[in-house]
Amino acid sequence: MKDITTVRLTVNGEAVERAVESRVSLADFLRDDLRLTGTHLGCEHGVCGACTVLVDGKSARACLMLAVQADGAAVRTVEGLGTPENLNPLQRAMMEHHGLQCGFCTPGMLMTLTEFIEQRRDSPPPSEAEIREVLSGNICRCTGYQTIVDAVMAVLNPPDGAA
Amino acid sequence: MKPAPFKYHAPRTTGDALRLLADNGDACVLAGGQSLMPMLNFRLLAPAHVIDLNRVPALAGIRVEQNVLHVGAMTRQGDLETSSVVRDAAPLLQAAVRQVGHRQTRNRGTLGGSLCHLDPAAELVTAAMAMDATLIAESAGGGTRRIPIAAWSAGYLTNALRPGEMLTAIEFPLWRGAQGHGFVEFARRKGDFAIIGVATLLAFDAAGTIARAAVAIGGCGPLPQRPAAVEQALIGQRPSAPLFKEAARLAATIEAHSDAHVRADYRRHLARVLTERALAEAANRVHDAGHGASQ
């Protein structure tokens, strides 16, 4: 017998109400029920970081959360950042610094970095070591990470103090 | 979806959670989910009931009272990491939690969850062992059991909770006076569980002699070990590099096992090297702690 719960939450600012089976992960709920397929699923056991989303402003692995646990929460996914025509500064920096090749890990990288950037407002620019520490939970098999670090450094250390 | 079907419960109070646990024999308690959810996804576990503690606010919190740090079982690892109370009262715990997983997993993962999962190399278990933590287990009907960390393991990846019991809080008795802490681990990759992790606490008397020592070595058995010979070798001595080298040599005699990753003799080698480093770290960051009540 299916154990079904009705969940109400916001996803990228839009109110959502759905009946969902208890065992469905937040990642599957986003992808299958809401058709927000920007959140990628790699390992589905909390290692790769590809499914990282923000839940009430904090990064979380969406494969390790049940959709019912997000009842009442504000969830943000990669679809809530820029658009293909109008990338946000982080996305633009990733493009300019070749921070992605195949792009599979990129949504998770972007959401992890979005939390980091938002929490750091008004803080001094981070060191490369700090950025690598933040990125440690997201695995990329293409870039070797240096280009991703370069992109974040460019966003958080803009030349001539320009924001 | 990956887990087998289960009935989901989201109690709002500790009492409701304990009643659900008493009423449903085949149940798992869901804390931060960073270990349980992978096990459900792999179907290593297929409980009939999942009792989610994430909506029980009373189970989370950090406070110091009468020289004891009290931490609610559902306190997030990320909150331990940034808490000024933990920084001032128990910097060893903060040093350990920084090595746990990654930012995303610390945002969800909890102290109680890590202690209950009881991975042999879990950093928080090693720190709790060095600090002589007491684990508070409650059951429906008002039963409370205080379990010393030394009695917390019932075998590999198995805690000492009885059916119907739930870990609700952890107490860390704090040391007074001049003291230092060290936490050093070796893992193949950043964020992995350690192969060996060592937590140290040293307290000093007015003359600068080591008055009290705790050394916990994780990753070489179901529960971190406290090699008494190492601690005894330190007490009454003045801190020095040769002393730490000699004491660490005794750490290499601990029991260790071989597995698919590394051999037992390499574990013992790591235990020696990391103990020496963690003792040096403790001696190099001595501060004075007078723990009053704080929030």
Side-chain angles (χ1 to χ4, degrees), chain B residues 217-241:
Chain B
I217 304 175
C220 45
L223 201 62
Q225 299 179 34
R226 285 276 300 268
V230 178
E231 296 176 4
Q232 285 307 321
L234 294 163
I235 292 168
Q237 307 292 320
R238 294 188 66 84
S240 71

Side-chain angles (χ1 to χ4, degrees), chain A residues 29-53:
Chain A
F29 175 73
L30 293 169
R31 290 178 55 83
D32 299 343
D33 293 51
L34 304 184
R35 308 307 292 171
L36 292 171
T37 54
T39 298
H40 290 171
L41 275 168
C43 70
E44 298 187 66
H45 62 278
V47 172
C48 76
C51 68
T52 302
V53 298

Side-chain angles (χ1 to χ4, degrees), chain A residues 1 3 5 21-25 28 32 43-47 49 52 55 58-61 63-66 68-72 108 112 115-116 119 133-134 136-138, chain B residues 1-9 12 30-35 37-38 41-43 50 52 54-55 76 78-79 81 98 101-108 189-191:
Chain A
M1 198 182 66
D3 185 44
T5 308
E21 197 181 346
S22 299
R23 59 173 165 154
V24 171
S25 73
D28 282 339
D32 299 343
C43 70
E44 298 187 66
H45 62 278
V47 172
T52 302
V55 179
K58 291 194 160 185
S59 61
R61 298 190 179 321
C63 71
L64 298 189
M65 250 187 94
L66 299 168
V68 291
Q69 293 186 290
D71 185 32
T112 296
E115 176 195 39
F116 179 62
Q119 284 183 351
E133 161 70 31
V134 170
S136 71
N138 292 81
Chain B
M1 72 192 99
K2 303 222 136 193
F6 53 76
K7 170 93 180 102
Y8 173 81
H9 306 270
R12 305 298 160 123
L30 174 58
Q34 304 303 293
S35 299
M37 284 303 303
N41 285 353
F42 280 123
R43 299 202 180 190
V50 168
D52 183 2
N54 283 277
R55 295 186 196 271
R76 308 282 173 192
D79 291 332
E81 189 181 354
R98 291 215 167 96
H102 310 282
R103 167 180 284 244
Q104 302 96 327
T105 63
R106 292 193 295 269
N107 278 343
R108 302 280 311 162
R189 292 168 302 192
K190 168 80 197 151

